[in-house]
């Protein structure tokens, strides 16, 4: 199954107020494995960015002044996401902005070649998923990172690509899977690498001449405390340690 974990940044909160996209970021996941393939693009919104929005994502008018407008990148982005399930935190927000941009391009060109997203993509809202799993709790991306022990210490401001990478880790943790980055996504490259001991999957081989691992044994005091604990368990009638031959 192909999924794109997606995030956007915008000039403001409401599409109906004329706000536009300024950044799109997405990472590809296939069969619950991060492939290393991603999409990232800054966009000239052709309008000023609200000061309140800049405080959130740190993207200024000057930063996107020389970036392409959405119409110039629309087909490339559409090709990247088509056929995938889109994993988005608070999906209605991002989908609403993207579909609005597609509709503007279609009107200008007199056709309906682009979008809406739901016509070619599945959409999974991780915010709704989190609220269903953790009712009554905070379910922001930062809160979920803390709940699922995902490191987001390098996230001082919002950014579409960074947030999509973090969301991928959160989504895989929420749905019971371990994240895995396939460094050698191309199968032919993997085959050629295997003969040299590099499988392309981040396997690190240890040198045969490495120092032996140091074994730390319990002190007499620690061993005595352990036996006392086991004795208390035996008094209660259950001691799994005995069943394991400990």
């Amino acid at each position: 199954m192909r999924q794109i974990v997606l995030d956007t940044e915008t000039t403001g909160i409401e599409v109906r107020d004329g706000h536009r996209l300024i950044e799109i970021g997405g990472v590809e996941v296939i069969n619950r494995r991060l492939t290393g393939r991603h999409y990232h693009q800054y966009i000239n919104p052709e309008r000023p960015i609200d000061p309140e929005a800049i405080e959130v994502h740190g993207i200024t008018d000057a930063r996107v002044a020389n970036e392409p407008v959405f119409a110039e990148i629309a087909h490339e982005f559409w090709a990247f996401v088509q056929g995938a399930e889109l994993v988005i935190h608070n999906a209605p927000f991002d989908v609403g902005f993207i579909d609005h941009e597609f509709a503007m391009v279609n009107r200008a060109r007199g056709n309906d070649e682009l979008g809406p997203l739901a016509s070619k993509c599945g959409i999974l809202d991780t915010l709704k998923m989190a609220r269903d799993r953790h009712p009554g709790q905070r379910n922001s991306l930062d809160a979920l990172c803390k709940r699922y022990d995902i490191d987001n210490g390098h996230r001082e401001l919002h950014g579409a690509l960074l947030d999509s990478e973090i969301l991928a880790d959160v989504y895989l943790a929420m749905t019971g899977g371990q994240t895995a980055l396939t460094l050698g996504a191309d199968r032919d490259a993997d085959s050629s690498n295997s003969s040299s001991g590099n499988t392309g999957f981040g396997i690190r081989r240890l040198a045969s001449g490495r120092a032996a691992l140091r074994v730390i044994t319990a002190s007499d005091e620690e061993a005595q405390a352990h036996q006392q604990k086991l004795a208390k368990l035996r008094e209660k009638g259950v001691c799994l340690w005995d069943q394991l031959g400990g």
Side-chain angles (χ1 to χ4, degrees):
M1 179 181 185
R2 181 172 183 260
Q3 297 172 299
I4 303 295
V5 185
L6 193 70
D7 187 56
T8 66
E9 300 298 341
T10 65
T11 61
I13 298 297
E14 294 288 348
V15 170
R16 64 188 177 204
D17 293 334
H19 286 294
R20 305 283 303 275
L21 290 176
I22 55 173
E23 186 188 11
I24 303 174
V27 294
E28 183 181 65
V29 176
I30 295 181
N31 296 329
R32 300 187 60 78
R33 298 179 71 90
L34 286 157
T35 67
R37 186 181 177 215
H38 70 273
Y39 178 90
H40 184 223
Q41 181 65 60
Y42 288 104
I43 301 161
N44 182 341
E46 303 178 277
R47 60 150 291 156
I49 303 171
D50 278 3
E52 294 82 2
I54 296 174
E55 290 180 5
V56 173
H57 50 57
I59 302 172
T60 63
D61 295 327
R63 173 63 187 83
V64 293
N66 296 317
E67 298 293 340
V69 298
F70 185 83
E72 296 177 272
I73 59 93
H75 279 280
E76 180 185 14
F77 173 67
W78 185 227
F80 179 72
V81 299
Q82 276 191 77
E85 178 181 62
L86 305 182
V87 179
I88 307 173
H89 202 63
N90 192 17
F93 178 86
D94 301 83
V95 170
F97 269 92
I98 293 169
D99 282 349
H100 177 68
E101 295 282 357
F102 278 147
M104 291 176 66
V105 175
N106 287 340
R107 284 196 299 271
R109 296 176 179 175
N111 58 46
D112 57 356
E113 293 179 353
L114 304 170
L117 287 174
S119 69
K120 297 292 184 180
C121 304
I123 297 172
L124 188 156
D125 187 353
T126 52
L127 179 58
K128 182 180 184 304
M129 177 186 293
R131 285 172 173 168
D132 290 342
R133 294 181 179 220
H134 310 289
Q137 300 183 53
R138 292 183 65 249
N139 290 298
S140 67
L141 188 55
D142 285 336
L144 291 172
C145 285
K146 185 175 182 180
R147 188 171 302 143
Y148 289 98
D149 197 26
I150 304 297
D151 180 15
N152 68 337
H154 51 305
R155 181 182 186 250
E156 296 180 1
L157 293 170
H158 288 255
L161 184 58
L162 174 60
D163 283 3
S164 65
E165 291 170 344
I166 293 172
L167 180 58
D169 286 342
V170 168
Y171 166 70
L172 292 171
M174 259 205 305
T175 53
Q178 184 175 3
T179 62
L181 174 61
T182 302
L183 298 179
D186 183 78
R187 293 296 182 186
D188 293 334
D190 289 345
S191 300
S192 64
N193 287 338
S194 61
S195 61
S196 62
N198 180 6
T199 65
F201 288 88
I203 295 175
R204 187 177 180 184
R205 302 190 182 281
L206 299 177
S208 59
R210 68 188 184 278
L213 292 175
R214 185 163 65 98
V215 178
I216 301 175
T217 58
S219 66
D220 291 342
E221 183 180 345
E222 290 169 334
Q224 184 179 1
H226 177 64
Q227 291 302 324
Q228 291 173 351
K229 180 66 175 179
L230 293 180
K232 291 181 179 179
L233 292 174
R234 293 185 187 107
E235 290 174 2
K236 297 180 180 179
V238 177
C239 182
L240 295 177
W241 185 265
D242 292 337
Q243 297 177 25
L244 295 172

